Amino acid sequence: MTKGLRILAFPSNQFANQEPGTNEEILNFVQRYNVTFDMFEKIDVNGENAHPLWKWLEEQKDGKIKWNFTKFIVDRKGQVVSRFEPHTEPLDMEDTLKKYL
């Protein structure tokens, strides 16, 4: 982590059943790739049982989560300032991130 940047990952099996494993199985899988960001328990991001955080994120920027790897940038004041769709590569967010570091 540099300059206060935190990356938070929330696994969800709501997208073509891509994450069917248990929380422990998902954690074991990502550790093979030397993941250093914060991994949370598997949650629902859409629908009636959506986690409150994701309901809030949807309300702040552009509605329903369409697919895995939707990315949100939340500034130091807790405001959602940007949303990137799944196809966005991390380096393509660099200029936007620099505004908030």
Side-chain angles (χ1 to χ4, degrees):
M1 176 173 60
T2 61
K3 298 185 181 182
L5 176 66
R6 299 286 300 263
I7 298 173
L8 312 176
F10 297 86
S12 178
N13 198 39
Q14 290 189 300
F15 306 97
N17 298 314
Q18 290 186 333
E19 295 185 292
T22 65
N23 291 318
E24 184 178 358
E25 290 168 335
I26 293 168
L27 184 59
N28 288 336
F29 175 78
V30 299
Q31 285 176 338
R32 289 188 266 172
Y33 298 94
N34 298 318
V35 166
T36 58
F37 47 79
D38 295 312
M39 288 288 300
F40 291 83
E41 291 185 358
K42 185 164 59 172
I43 60 170
D44 284 350
V45 299
N46 288 318
E48 187 177 308
N49 296 320
H51 189 279
L53 171 62
W54 289 89
K55 288 180 181 180
W56 178 77
L57 287 168
E58 284 183 342
E59 291 170 2
Q60 303 304 304
K61 282 283 183 201
D62 303 327
K64 186 177 180 188
I65 309 300
K66 298 173 188 122
W67 197 252
N68 280 344
F69 302 105
T70 298
K71 304 154 194 74
F72 292 88
I73 297 176
V74 179
D75 70 12
R76 293 174 193 264
K77 296 178 182 176
Q79 301 299 309
V80 179
V81 294
S82 287
R83 174 179 172 160
F84 293 91
E85 294 305 319
H87 62 275
T88 306
E89 294 294 327
L91 288 177
D92 293 339
M93 300 183 302
E94 185 175 15
D95 288 341
T96 303
L97 285 168
K98 284 180 180 178
K99 295 177 191 176
Y100 303 102
L101 295 177

